[in-house]
């Protein structure tokens, strides 16, 4: 029996201990543990990597603490639009959705796209029509509402904060508070099959139908049994420009680097070179895991059949 492993993240960014209350810190650690253990239980029972990461992501989407599903951030127009992607490293099957609203678990819809459509990536209204056809669970706007995310948005909605203009005092404050609460999971099951998934509300105050890296296969999410499974979190534009998740796979495949070596090149060198703040989690088919970030913190956890079982927040 080979080693099986699950790794998760709940977003990266300027996450500092001094900004956190003990209660909130505890709530995040418990939420990470709950999601990690639920997915790991699937692997332990002999379930597939795909089913393990799905079980994990659903729990995180349902938790208002994370910027995915319930608790997603608000767009410039004051609504919540979500993105998600899932990929099966055994077959290279993938499904993704973007700009979707009122879908309780965006990862369920991404999985439906992967398994029950002839397509990989659906957006907005079309994705909603498909969700209705597949009987995917919907919720009213109130279900997704979080006062914290709403206040975050209200503080910047009249600015062009998304341009990240550092010269503006108020924006500097905002940047200090920069946290990317996206969720992600990667797993390697007993058979050595790999899968990866990411789900997010995107970035606060996003506009013009902006799409981040999370649902883009190869940028924020990628899985291939021959190399790795990767889920990213951070400033999506930079992860798109570096095709971050797939680049890790390429470095492993073409250069023979280990998972962690490849992830470090992408996160600490290539992303840093263009100001890309964030991180990623990865597994390989031997059950090795790595959790790498260039920000001050990343909500994260890893559990493996070798006995590893940890959750953490800060650097
Ligand atoms: N990467 C996501 C995006 O740009 C945000 C995040 O990771 O929280 O949409």
């Amino acid at each position: 029996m080979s080693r099986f492993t699950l790794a998760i993240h709940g977003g990266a960014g300027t996450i500092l201990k001094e900004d956190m209350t003990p209660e909130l810190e505890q709530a995040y650690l418990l939420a990470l543990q709950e999601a990690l253990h639920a997915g790991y239980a699937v692997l332990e029972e002999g379930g597939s990597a795909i089913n393990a990461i799905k079980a994990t992501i659903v729990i995180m989407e349902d938790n208002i603490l994370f910027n995915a599903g319930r608790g997603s951030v608000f767009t410039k127009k004051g609504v919540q639009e979500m993105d998600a992607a899932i990929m099966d490293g055994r077959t290279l099957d993938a499904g993704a959705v973007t700009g979707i609203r009122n879908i309780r678990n965006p990862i369920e819809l991404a999985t439906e796209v992967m398994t029950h459509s002839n397509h990989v990536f659906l957006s907005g209204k079309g994705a909603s029509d498909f969700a209705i056809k597949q009987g995917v669970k919907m919720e009213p706007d109130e279900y997704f509402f979080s006062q914290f995310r709403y206040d975050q948005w209200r503080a910047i909605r009249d600015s062009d904060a998304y341009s990240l203009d550092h010269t503006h005092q108020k924006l500097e404050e905002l940047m200090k508070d920069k946290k990317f609460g996206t969720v992600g999971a990667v797993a390697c099951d007993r058979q050595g099959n790999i899968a990866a998934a990411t789900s997010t509300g995107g970035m606060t105050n996003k506009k013009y139908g902006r799409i981040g890296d999370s649902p883009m296969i190869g940028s924020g999410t990628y899985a291939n049994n021959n190399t790795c499974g990767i889920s990213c979190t951070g400033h999506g534009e930079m992860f798109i420009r570096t095709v971050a998740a797939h680049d890790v796979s390429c470095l492993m495949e073409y250069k023979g680097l280990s998972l962690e070596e490849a992830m470090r090149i992408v996160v600490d060198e290539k992303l840093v070179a263009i100001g890309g703040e964030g991180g990623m989690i990865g597994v390989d088919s031997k059950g090795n895991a790595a959790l790498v970030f260039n920000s001050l913190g990343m909500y994260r956890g890893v559990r493996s059949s070798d006995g590893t079982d940890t959750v953490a927040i800060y650097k």
Side-chain angles (χ1 to χ4, degrees):
M1 183 194 76
S2 66
R3 175 160 49 138
F4 51 95
T5 303
L6 175 78
I8 64 171
H9 71 72
T14 310
I15 307 165
L16 294 168
K17 196 168 176 67
E18 53 264 37
D19 295 341
M20 193 79 89
T21 63
E23 294 75 28
L24 191 60
E25 185 180 291
Q26 200 52 30
Y28 270 111
L29 291 172
L30 281 175
L32 289 168
Q33 227 154 35
E34 186 199 355
L36 188 63
H37 288 194
Y40 185 80
V42 174
L43 295 178
E44 210 168 26
E45 286 156 17
S48 67
I50 276 281
N51 286 338
I53 58 171
K54 241 183 77 184
T56 299
I57 299 274
V58 163
I59 287 179
M60 296 177 95
E61 286 176 338
D62 287 349
N63 192 321
I64 204 154
L65 288 175
F66 300 108
N67 170 22
R70 185 164 175 246
S72 285
V73 298
F74 288 84
T75 66
K76 182 84 182 168
K77 287 193 171 145
V79 297
Q80 289 154 300
E81 290 177 356
M82 302 167 288
D83 301 334
I86 189 161
M87 185 161 187
D88 186 339
R90 186 175 66 86
T91 55
L92 301 185
D93 282 335
V97 289
T98 183
I100 55 164
R101 300 191 54 195
N102 301 100
I103 304 294
R104 183 183 171 112
N105 292 111
I107 204 66
E108 299 272 10
L109 184 54
T111 306
E112 285 298 314
V113 173
M114 175 171 78
T115 53
H116 289 106
S117 82
N118 298 322
H119 308 297
V120 168
F121 204 179
L122 301 184
S123 72
K125 171 84 171 69
S128 285
D129 292 346
F130 180 69
I132 292 165
K133 180 170 161 271
Q134 296 305 116
V136 171
K137 200 158 176 199
M138 318 275 269
E139 298 287 355
D141 289 350
E142 304 78 72
Y143 168 84
F144 297 90
F145 183 88
S146 133
Q147 191 64 45
F148 169 68
R149 299 293 181 203
Y150 189 71
D151 293 345
Q152 253 185 350
W153 168 68
R154 288 228 328 198
I156 62 162
R157 68 175 171 187
D158 296 328
S159 71
D160 196 18
Y162 189 67
S163 72
L164 309 180
D165 179 355
H166 289 278
T167 59
H168 195 297
Q169 182 56 39
K170 205 170 142 205
L171 295 187
E172 249 170 31
E173 281 301 304
L174 170 81
M175 293 309 292
K176 227 183 87 205
D177 193 39
K178 203 167 42 156
K179 299 177 188 70
F180 307 107
T182 293
V183 307
V186 293
C188 168
D189 63 27
R190 285 174 194 267
Q191 279 71 46
N193 291 318
I194 292 175
T198 314
S199 180
T200 187
M203 289 178 79
T204 303
N205 221 28
K206 64 183 181 182
K207 57 185 176 180
Y208 306 131
R210 179 263 186 191
I211 304 170
D213 61 312
S214 310
M216 288 191 194
I217 297 302
S219 292
T221 308
Y222 188 72
N224 184 332
N225 270 10
N226 295 326
T227 52
C228 59
I230 300 285
S231 169
C232 303
T233 176
H235 196 153
E237 279 65 11
M238 318 310 172
F239 286 75
I240 294 171
R241 288 164 57 197
T242 53
V243 202
H246 188 246
D247 200 22
V248 173
S249 175
C250 290
L251 286 164
M252 292 175 72
E253 184 171 358
Y254 305 144
K255 273 192 136 183
L257 299 189
S258 72
L259 173 70
E260 178 148 1
E261 285 167 347
M263 285 169 70
R264 291 215 168 273
I265 288 179
V266 175
V267 174
D268 294 338
E269 297 176 24
K270 295 189 177 196
L271 280 164
V272 167
I274 59 167
E277 183 186 3
M280 55 171 71
I281 53 172
V283 289
D284 67 18
S285 58
K286 304 228 162 29
N288 296 306
L291 303 92
V292 177
F293 53 102
N294 62 34
S295 49
L296 289 171
M298 181 166 84
Y299 298 106
R300 61 197 187 276
V302 57
R303 190 165 182 194
S304 173
S305 56
D306 67 7
T308 310
D309 186 7
T310 60
V311 291
I313 300 176
Y314 316 106
K315 194 127 212 162

